[in-house]
Amino acid sequence: MSETTKPGHKGQDYEQTLDRSDARVAAFDRGQHSPLERVQHVLHNNPTLVPVIVLLVSLAVFGLIAGGKFFSAFNLSLILQQVSIIGILAAAQSLIILTAGIDLSVAAIMVLMSVIMGNLAVFAGVPTGISIVIGLIGGVAAGGMNGWLITKVKLPPFITTLGTWSIFYALLLWLSGAQSIRGQDIDANAPFLKIFGASFNIGGARITLSALLMIAVFLVLWYMLNKTAWGRHVYAIGDDKEAAQLSGIRTDRTLLSVYGLAGLVCALAGWASIGRVGSISPQSFYEGNLDSITAVVIGGISLFGGRGSILGALFGALIVGVFRSGLRLSGVDVLWQVFAIGWLIIIAVAIDQWIRRVSA
Amino acid sequence: MSTPVVQARGIVKRYGHVTAIDHSDFELRKGEILAVIGDNGAGKSSIVKAICGATVPDEGEILIEGKPVRFTSPIQARDMGIEIVYQNLALSPALSIADNMFTGREIRKQGWMGKYLRMLDKPAMEDFAREKLTELGLMTVQSIKQPVETLSGGQRQGVAVARAAAFATKFIIMDEPTAALGVKESRKVLELIQDVRARGIPIILISHNMPHVFEVADRIHVHRLGKRLCTIDPKDYTMSDAVAFMTGAKEPPSEHAA
């Protein structure tokens, strides 16, 4: 089918010289690249590499500065425990951001569902298991409401979730009467709510179930995103929604499932948070929405959608935890911890932009 | 004469006061390349959209291989073996070539892994994609996992055409496949189109490029003011005739010309 195999004249006059032109079509560029370009290329193909490197480097640096007390098994497991709730929220946030959306209501859904579970189990006398199931279903409904507004009413995700953040927050204040449910009451009436606070020791490390839940949530979502058609569709929608639709993806249905699933994950985080905090406080995790976005961004998931691995968000959450712990143990004031996290976000986005500029 | 692949009669589509399709006919025969030409706004995209289900016509009937159909979405047309190569290609840049070829019709693994865990059979999809691209002389073997965004414009067009050719059993619609391409890449795509026809799959080619149309088309459907003005055989007319028909500068030949 190449021009050179056909002696006869074909095509237009101006194309005659094509016979002598380079006939390769899909040849690879095997030319020399500068080391920096090669790094850019590798990172483009493996977007999770950046947060992994940052995590390892920051572990090493804080290990040198803060010494043994940072590197103890106890402290490392404490970091894992501290990031577990924000980590689970970041998993939900990753799903949304991969579709080129954003969810400002994740923490509000989480706390609302923990309040619902607590009210039902502690005060209304509903069996704990049923209360938890109702809370999880409530999470799906709250996420589904976001999804419905975004796909059917066609509102931008930012505005939608800014609105539902306030709505869910008001609801949770109303349901809780702005009062915390005390730990003793939970222990007396529904101890199972605090199951994720349980822990066990391995060689000085204290592993809580909430940390294990976080890791399990990430692994399950990673599988769904990378090994199933649904996951490929999530990426395709985040990449180019119109193209996804034209190539036969039912985009609204997929988006709805993404928001519903994110809501479920938030509700799971709500259940885990009861064990982690020890009580149910309507005021807790007020900054959880933004913290989850921070973890996702530091984890190398592009805010423009379609790029990055959900495991990046896990590393992003861990990086934030390592920075906080390391700076604290090095005797640095809290305000400089916040300062450092701010720079991390900006650097992470700058690296994302640079990686996106990769050329073939 | 055997049954045409597509036969549409008296198609009407109105948008408010605008009549995009005004009692138009359309016919695609077996194994042919039918070019659809027309001025901007003549409604050539509209009539093709009506055939593939992207719009639902208000009146008229569409027969595919003699059987009446009424598509309400392009997905239904696709399930029947009708493939469309969109002008913007409808590829997801960050996904691999193999992922793009199978978007919306992925293959799952055999057994419980596929049934309960819905695990994709990536090796099978990659093999299939590699085979199809090699058939069309498009790809070197090791590149199937490359993200589409690292390909050139012509290569992307090649992936989109290969996807259509791999799954089409009835016919393929191509919307301006050479509009965004350079001379060499256009040539490659025209060869691809002829290759696909050689496999017996008819093609509807929407194009503004008269030299390309006259080179590959077996018949040319001239669309003007929302309806089929005439169909002509490119061997009997010149490009300036065709332009004269579609702009109204010249009276069309009778409907039975081709």
Coordinates of all heavy atoms in Angstrom, one line a residue, chain B residues 116-186:
Chain B
Y116 N -16.7 -11.8 38.2 CA -17.0 -11.2 39.5 C -16.2 -10.0 39.8 O -16.6 -9.0 40.4 CB -16.9 -12.2 40.6 CG -17.9 -13.4 40.4 CD1 -17.4 -14.6 40.0 CD2 -19.3 -13.2 40.5 CE1 -18.3 -15.7 39.8 CE2 -20.1 -14.2 40.3 CZ -19.7 -15.4 39.9 OH -20.6 -16.5 39.7
L117 N -14.9 -10.0 39.4 CA -14.0 -8.9 39.6 C -14.0 -8.0 38.4 O -13.3 -6.9 38.4 CB -12.6 -9.4 40.0 CG -12.5 -10.2 41.2 CD1 -11.1 -10.7 41.5 CD2 -13.1 -9.5 42.5
R118 N -14.7 -8.3 37.4 CA -14.7 -7.5 36.1 C -13.4 -7.1 35.6 O -13.1 -6.0 35.1 CB -15.6 -6.2 36.4 CG -17.0 -6.6 36.7 CD -17.8 -5.4 37.2 NE -19.2 -5.8 37.2 CZ -20.0 -5.5 36.3 NH1 -19.7 -4.9 35.2 NH2 -21.3 -5.9 36.4
M119 N -12.4 -8.0 35.8 CA -11.1 -7.7 35.3 C -10.9 -7.7 33.8 O -11.5 -8.6 33.1 CB -10.1 -8.7 35.9 CG -8.6 -8.3 35.7 SD -7.5 -9.5 36.2 CE -6.8 -8.7 37.6
L120 N -10.3 -6.7 33.3 CA -10.1 -6.6 31.9 C -9.0 -7.5 31.4 O -8.1 -7.8 32.1 CB -9.6 -5.1 31.5 CG -10.7 -4.0 31.7 CD1 -10.0 -2.7 31.4 CD2 -11.9 -4.3 30.8
D121 N -9.2 -8.0 30.2 CA -8.2 -8.9 29.6 C -7.3 -8.0 28.7 O -7.5 -7.9 27.5 CB -8.9 -10.0 28.7 CG -7.9 -11.1 28.4 OD1 -6.7 -10.8 28.5 OD2 -8.3 -12.1 27.9
K122 N -6.3 -7.3 29.4 CA -5.5 -6.4 28.6 C -4.6 -7.0 27.6 O -4.5 -6.5 26.5 CB -4.6 -5.6 29.6 CG -5.4 -4.7 30.5 CD -4.6 -3.5 31.0 CE -5.6 -2.6 31.7 NZ -5.0 -1.3 32.2
P123 N -4.0 -8.2 27.8 CA -3.2 -8.8 26.8 C -4.1 -9.1 25.5 O -3.6 -8.8 24.4 CB -2.8 -10.1 27.4 CG -2.8 -9.9 28.9 CD -3.9 -8.9 29.1
A124 N -5.3 -9.6 25.7 CA -6.2 -9.8 24.5 C -6.5 -8.6 23.7 O -6.4 -8.5 22.5 CB -7.5 -10.5 25.0
M125 N -6.7 -7.5 24.5 CA -7.1 -6.2 23.8 C -5.8 -5.7 23.1 O -5.9 -5.2 22.0 CB -7.6 -5.2 24.8 CG -8.9 -5.7 25.5 SD -9.8 -4.3 26.3 CE -8.7 -3.8 27.5
E126 N -4.7 -5.8 23.7 CA -3.5 -5.3 23.1 C -3.1 -6.1 21.8 O -2.7 -5.5 20.8 CB -2.3 -5.3 24.1 CG -2.4 -4.1 25.1 CD -1.6 -4.4 26.3 OE1 -0.8 -5.3 26.4 OE2 -1.8 -3.6 27.3
D127 N -3.3 -7.4 21.9 CA -3.0 -8.3 20.8 C -3.9 -7.9 19.6 O -3.5 -7.8 18.5 CB -3.2 -9.8 21.1 CG -2.1 -10.3 22.0 OD1 -1.1 -9.6 22.1 OD2 -2.3 -11.4 22.5
F128 N -5.2 -7.7 19.9 CA -6.2 -7.4 18.9 C -5.8 -6.1 18.3 O -5.8 -5.9 17.0 CB -7.6 -7.4 19.5 CG -8.7 -7.1 18.5 CD1 -9.2 -8.1 17.8 CD2 -9.1 -5.8 18.3 CE1 -10.3 -7.9 16.9 CE2 -10.1 -5.5 17.4 CZ -10.7 -6.6 16.7
A129 N -5.5 -5.1 19.1 CA -5.2 -3.7 18.6 C -4.0 -3.8 17.7 O -3.9 -3.2 16.6 CB -5.0 -2.8 19.8
R130 N -3.0 -4.5 18.2 CA -1.7 -4.6 17.4 C -2.0 -5.3 16.1 O -1.5 -4.8 15.0 CB -0.7 -5.5 18.2 CG 0.7 -5.4 17.8 CD 1.6 -6.2 18.7 NE 1.8 -5.6 20.0 CZ 1.5 -6.2 21.1 NH1 1.0 -7.5 21.1 NH2 1.7 -5.6 22.3
E131 N -2.8 -6.3 16.1 CA -3.1 -7.0 14.8 C -3.8 -6.1 13.9 O -3.5 -6.0 12.7 CB -4.0 -8.2 15.2 CG -4.4 -9.2 14.1 CD -5.5 -10.1 14.5 OE1 -5.3 -10.7 15.7 OE2 -6.4 -10.3 13.8
K132 N -4.8 -5.3 14.3 CA -5.6 -4.5 13.5 C -4.7 -3.4 12.9 O -4.8 -3.0 11.7 CB -6.8 -3.8 14.2 CG -7.9 -4.8 14.5 CD -8.5 -5.3 13.3 CE -9.3 -6.6 13.6 NZ -9.8 -7.2 12.3
L133 N -3.9 -2.8 13.7 CA -3.0 -1.7 13.2 C -2.0 -2.2 12.3 O -1.7 -1.6 11.3 CB -2.3 -1.0 14.4 CG -3.3 -0.2 15.3 CD1 -2.5 0.2 16.6 CD2 -3.8 1.0 14.6
T134 N -1.5 -3.5 12.5 CA -0.5 -4.0 11.6 C -1.2 -4.3 10.2 O -0.6 -4.1 9.2 CB 0.1 -5.3 12.2 OG1 0.4 -5.1 13.5 CG2 1.3 -5.7 11.5
E135 N -2.4 -4.8 10.3 CA -3.2 -5.1 9.1 C -3.2 -3.9 8.2 O -3.1 -3.9 7.0 CB -4.6 -5.5 9.4 CG -4.9 -7.0 9.4 CD -6.3 -7.3 9.8 OE1 -7.2 -6.5 9.4 OE2 -6.5 -8.2 10.6
L136 N -3.4 -2.7 8.8 CA -3.5 -1.5 8.0 C -2.2 -0.9 7.8 O -2.1 0.3 7.4 CB -4.5 -0.5 8.7 CG -5.9 -0.9 8.8 CD1 -6.7 0.0 9.7 CD2 -6.5 -0.9 7.4
G137 N -1.1 -1.6 8.2 CA 0.2 -1.1 8.0 C 0.5 0.2 8.8 O 1.2 1.1 8.3
L138 N 0.0 0.2 10.0 CA 0.1 1.5 10.7 C 1.1 1.5 11.8 O 1.5 2.6 12.2 CB -1.3 1.8 11.3 CG -2.2 2.6 10.5 CD1 -3.6 2.6 11.0 CD2 -1.7 4.1 10.4
M139 N 1.4 0.4 12.4 CA 2.1 0.5 13.7 C 3.3 -0.4 13.7 O 3.3 -1.5 13.2 CB 1.2 0.0 14.8 CG 0.3 1.1 15.3 SD 1.2 2.5 15.8 CE 0.1 3.8 15.4
T140 N 4.3 0.1 14.4 CA 5.3 -0.9 14.8 C 4.9 -1.5 16.1 O 4.1 -1.0 16.8 CB 6.6 -0.1 15.1 OG1 6.3 1.0 15.9 CG2 7.2 0.4 13.8
V141 N 5.3 -2.7 16.3 CA 4.7 -3.6 17.3 C 4.7 -3.1 18.7 O 3.8 -3.2 19.5 CB 5.3 -5.0 17.2 CG1 4.7 -5.9 18.2 CG2 5.0 -5.6 15.8
Q142 N 5.9 -2.5 19.1 CA 6.0 -2.2 20.5 C 5.3 -1.0 21.0 O 5.4 -0.6 22.2 CB 7.5 -2.1 20.9 CG 8.2 -0.9 20.3 CD 8.8 -1.2 18.9 OE1 8.2 -1.8 18.1 NE2 10.1 -0.9 18.8
S143 N 4.5 -0.3 20.2 CA 4.0 1.0 20.5 C 2.6 1.0 21.1 O 2.0 2.0 21.3 CB 4.1 1.9 19.3 OG 3.3 1.4 18.3
I144 N 2.0 -0.2 21.2 CA 0.6 -0.3 21.5 C 0.2 0.3 22.8 O -1.0 0.7 23.0 CB 0.1 -1.8 21.3 CG1 -1.3 -1.8 20.9 CG2 0.3 -2.6 22.6 CD1 -1.5 -1.6 19.4
K145 N 1.1 0.4 23.8 CA 0.8 0.9 25.1 C 1.1 2.4 25.2 O 0.9 3.0 26.2 CB 1.6 0.2 26.2 CG 1.1 -1.2 26.4 CD 1.9 -1.9 27.5 CE 1.5 -3.4 27.6 NZ 2.4 -4.1 28.4
Q146 N 1.5 3.0 24.0 CA 1.8 4.4 24.0 C 0.6 5.2 24.2 O -0.5 4.9 23.6 CB 2.4 4.8 22.6 CG 3.8 5.3 22.6 CD 4.1 5.7 21.2 OE1 4.0 5.0 20.3 NE2 4.6 6.9 21.1
P147 N 0.6 6.3 25.0 CA -0.6 7.2 25.1 C -0.8 7.8 23.7 O 0.2 8.2 23.0 CB -0.2 8.2 26.1 CG 1.1 7.8 26.7 CD 1.7 6.8 25.9
V148 N -2.0 8.0 23.4 CA -2.4 8.6 22.1 C -1.8 10.0 21.9 O -1.5 10.4 20.8 CB -3.9 8.6 21.9 CG1 -4.4 9.5 20.8 CG2 -4.4 7.1 21.6
E149 N -1.7 10.7 23.0 CA -1.2 12.1 22.9 C 0.3 12.2 22.4 O 0.7 13.2 22.0 CB -1.3 12.8 24.2 CG -0.4 12.3 25.3 CD -0.8 12.8 26.7 OE1 -1.5 13.8 26.8 OE2 -0.3 12.1 27.7
T150 N 1.0 11.1 22.4 CA 2.4 11.1 22.0 C 2.5 10.8 20.5 O 3.5 10.8 19.9 CB 3.3 10.1 22.7 OG1 2.7 8.8 22.5 CG2 3.3 10.4 24.2
L151 N 1.3 10.6 19.8 CA 1.3 10.4 18.4 C 1.1 11.7 17.6 O 0.6 12.6 18.1 CB 0.1 9.4 18.0 CG 0.1 8.1 18.8 CD1 -1.1 7.3 18.4 CD2 1.4 7.2 18.4
S152 N 1.5 11.6 16.3 CA 1.3 12.8 15.4 C -0.2 12.8 15.0 O -0.9 11.8 15.2 CB 2.2 12.7 14.2 OG 1.7 11.7 13.3
G153 N -0.6 13.8 14.3 CA -2.0 14.0 13.9 C -2.4 12.8 13.0 O -3.4 12.2 13.1
G154 N -1.5 12.5 12.0 CA -1.8 11.4 11.1 C -1.9 10.1 11.8 O -2.8 9.2 11.4
Q155 N -1.0 9.8 12.7 CA -1.1 8.6 13.5 C -2.3 8.4 14.3 O -3.0 7.4 14.4 CB 0.1 8.5 14.4 CG 1.5 8.3 13.7 CD 2.6 8.5 14.6 OE1 2.6 9.1 15.6 NE2 3.8 7.9 14.2
R156 N -2.8 9.6 14.9 CA -4.0 9.5 15.6 C -5.2 9.2 14.7 O -6.1 8.4 15.1 CB -4.3 10.9 16.3 CG -3.4 11.2 17.4 CD -3.7 12.5 18.0 NE -2.5 13.0 18.7 CZ -2.5 13.9 19.7 NH1 -3.6 14.5 20.0 NH2 -1.3 14.3 20.2
Q157 N -5.2 9.9 13.6 CA -6.2 9.6 12.6 C -6.2 8.1 12.2 O -7.2 7.5 12.1 CB -6.0 10.4 11.3 CG -7.1 10.4 10.3 CD -8.2 11.4 10.7 OE1 -7.9 12.6 11.0 NE2 -9.4 11.0 10.7
G158 N -5.0 7.6 12.1 CA -4.8 6.2 11.8 C -5.5 5.3 12.9 O -6.1 4.3 12.5
V159 N -5.3 5.6 14.1 CA -5.8 4.9 15.2 C -7.4 4.9 15.1 O -8.1 3.9 15.3 CB -5.4 5.4 16.6 CG1 -6.1 4.7 17.7 CG2 -3.9 5.1 16.7
A160 N -7.9 6.1 14.9 CA -9.3 6.3 14.8 C -9.9 5.5 13.6 O -11.0 4.8 13.8 CB -9.7 7.8 14.7
V161 N -9.2 5.5 12.5 CA -9.7 4.7 11.3 C -9.6 3.2 11.6 O -10.5 2.5 11.3 CB -8.9 5.1 10.1 CG1 -9.3 4.2 8.9 CG2 -9.2 6.6 9.7
A162 N -8.5 2.8 12.3 CA -8.3 1.4 12.6 C -9.4 0.9 13.5 O -9.9 -0.2 13.4 CB -6.9 1.2 13.2
R163 N -9.8 1.8 14.5 CA -10.8 1.4 15.4 C -12.1 1.2 14.7 O -12.8 0.2 14.9 CB -11.0 2.5 16.5 CG -12.2 2.3 17.4 CD -12.2 3.3 18.6 NE -12.4 4.6 18.2 CZ -12.5 5.6 19.2 NH1 -12.3 5.4 20.4 NH2 -12.8 6.9 18.8
A164 N -12.4 2.1 13.8 CA -13.7 2.0 13.0 C -13.6 0.7 12.1 O -14.6 0.0 12.1 CB -13.9 3.2 12.2
A165 N -12.5 0.6 11.5 CA -12.4 -0.6 10.5 C -12.5 -1.9 11.3 O -13.0 -2.9 10.8 CB -11.1 -0.5 9.7
A166 N -11.9 -1.9 12.5 CA -11.9 -3.2 13.3 C -13.3 -3.6 13.7 O -13.6 -4.8 13.8 CB -11.0 -3.0 14.5
F167 N -14.2 -2.7 13.9 CA -15.5 -3.0 14.5 C -16.7 -2.9 13.6 O -17.8 -3.3 13.9 CB -15.7 -2.2 15.8 CG -14.8 -2.6 16.9 CD1 -13.7 -1.8 17.2 CD2 -14.9 -3.8 17.6 CE1 -12.8 -2.1 18.2 CE2 -14.0 -4.1 18.6 CZ -12.9 -3.3 18.9
A168 N -16.4 -2.2 12.4 CA -17.6 -1.9 11.5 C -17.9 -3.2 10.8 O -17.0 -3.9 10.3 CB -17.2 -0.8 10.5
T169 N -19.2 -3.5 10.8 CA -19.6 -4.6 9.9 C -20.5 -4.1 8.8 O -20.7 -4.8 7.8 CB -20.4 -5.7 10.7 OG1 -21.4 -5.1 11.5 CG2 -19.4 -6.4 11.7
K170 N -21.2 -3.0 9.1 CA -22.1 -2.4 8.0 C -21.4 -1.4 7.2 O -21.2 -1.5 6.0 CB -23.3 -1.8 8.7 CG -24.2 -2.8 9.5 CD -25.2 -3.5 8.6 CE -26.2 -4.3 9.4 NZ -25.7 -5.3 10.3
F171 N -21.1 -0.2 7.8 CA -20.4 0.8 7.1 C -19.7 1.8 8.1 O -19.9 1.7 9.3 CB -21.3 1.6 6.1 CG -22.5 2.2 6.8 CD1 -22.4 3.6 7.2 CD2 -23.7 1.6 7.0 CE1 -23.5 4.2 7.8 CE2 -24.8 2.2 7.6 CZ -24.7 3.5 8.0
I172 N -18.9 2.6 7.5 CA -18.1 3.6 8.3 C -18.5 5.0 7.8 O -18.5 5.2 6.6 CB -16.6 3.4 8.2 CG1 -16.3 2.0 8.7 CG2 -15.8 4.5 9.0 CD1 -14.8 1.7 8.6
I173 N -18.7 5.9 8.7 CA -18.9 7.3 8.4 C -17.6 8.1 8.7 O -17.1 7.9 9.9 CB -20.1 7.9 9.1 CG1 -21.3 7.2 8.7 CG2 -20.2 9.4 8.9 CD1 -22.5 7.6 9.6
M174 N -17.0 8.8 7.8 CA -15.8 9.6 8.1 C -16.1 11.1 7.9 O -16.5 11.5 6.8 CB -14.7 9.2 7.3 CG -14.2 7.8 7.6 SD -12.6 7.5 6.8 CE -12.6 5.7 7.0
D175 N -15.9 11.9 9.0 CA -16.2 13.3 8.9 C -14.9 14.0 8.7 O -14.1 14.1 9.6 CB -16.9 13.7 10.2 CG -17.5 15.1 10.1 OD1 -17.4 15.7 9.0 OD2 -18.1 15.6 11.1
E176 N -14.7 14.6 7.5 CA -13.5 15.4 7.2 C -12.2 14.8 7.7 O -11.4 15.4 8.5 CB -13.6 16.8 7.9 CG -14.8 17.6 7.4 CD -14.5 18.3 6.1 OE1 -13.4 18.1 5.5 OE2 -15.4 19.0 5.6
P177 N -11.9 13.5 7.3 CA -10.7 12.8 7.8 C -9.4 13.5 7.5 O -8.4 13.2 8.1 CB -10.8 11.4 7.3 CG -11.7 11.6 6.0 CD -12.6 12.7 6.3
T178 N -9.4 14.3 6.4 CA -8.1 14.9 6.0 C -8.0 16.3 6.3 O -7.0 17.0 6.0 CB -7.8 14.6 4.5 OG1 -8.9 15.2 3.8 CG2 -7.7 13.2 4.2
A179 N -9.0 16.9 7.0 CA -9.0 18.3 7.1 C -7.9 18.9 7.9 O -7.3 20.0 7.7 CB -10.3 18.8 7.8
A180 N -7.4 18.1 8.9 CA -6.4 18.7 9.8 C -5.0 18.1 9.5 O -4.1 18.3 10.3 CB -6.7 18.3 11.3
L181 N -4.9 17.5 8.4 CA -3.6 16.8 8.1 C -2.8 17.4 7.0 O -3.3 18.1 6.1 CB -3.9 15.3 7.7 CG -4.7 14.5 8.7 CD1 -4.9 13.1 8.2 CD2 -3.9 14.5 10.0
G182 N -1.5 17.2 7.0 CA -0.6 17.6 6.0 C -0.7 16.7 4.8 O -1.4 15.8 4.7
V183 N 0.1 17.1 3.7 CA 0.0 16.4 2.5 C 0.3 14.9 2.6 O -0.4 14.0 2.2 CB 1.1 17.0 1.5 CG1 1.1 16.2 0.2 CG2 0.7 18.4 1.2
K184 N 1.4 14.6 3.3 CA 1.8 13.2 3.4 C 0.8 12.4 4.3 O 0.5 11.3 3.9 CB 3.2 13.2 4.0 CG 4.0 11.9 3.7 CD 5.5 12.1 4.1 CE 5.7 12.0 5.6 NZ 7.1 12.2 6.0
E185 N 0.4 13.0 5.3 CA -0.5 12.3 6.2 C -1.9 12.1 5.5 O -2.5 11.0 5.7 CB -0.7 13.0 7.5 CG 0.7 13.1 8.3 CD 0.5 13.6 9.7 OE1 -0.1 14.7 9.8 OE2 1.0 13.0 10.6
S186 N -2.3 13.1 4.8 CA -3.6 13.0 4.0 C -3.5 11.8 3.1 O -4.4 11.0 2.9 CB -3.9 14.2 3.2 OG -4.1 15.3 4.0

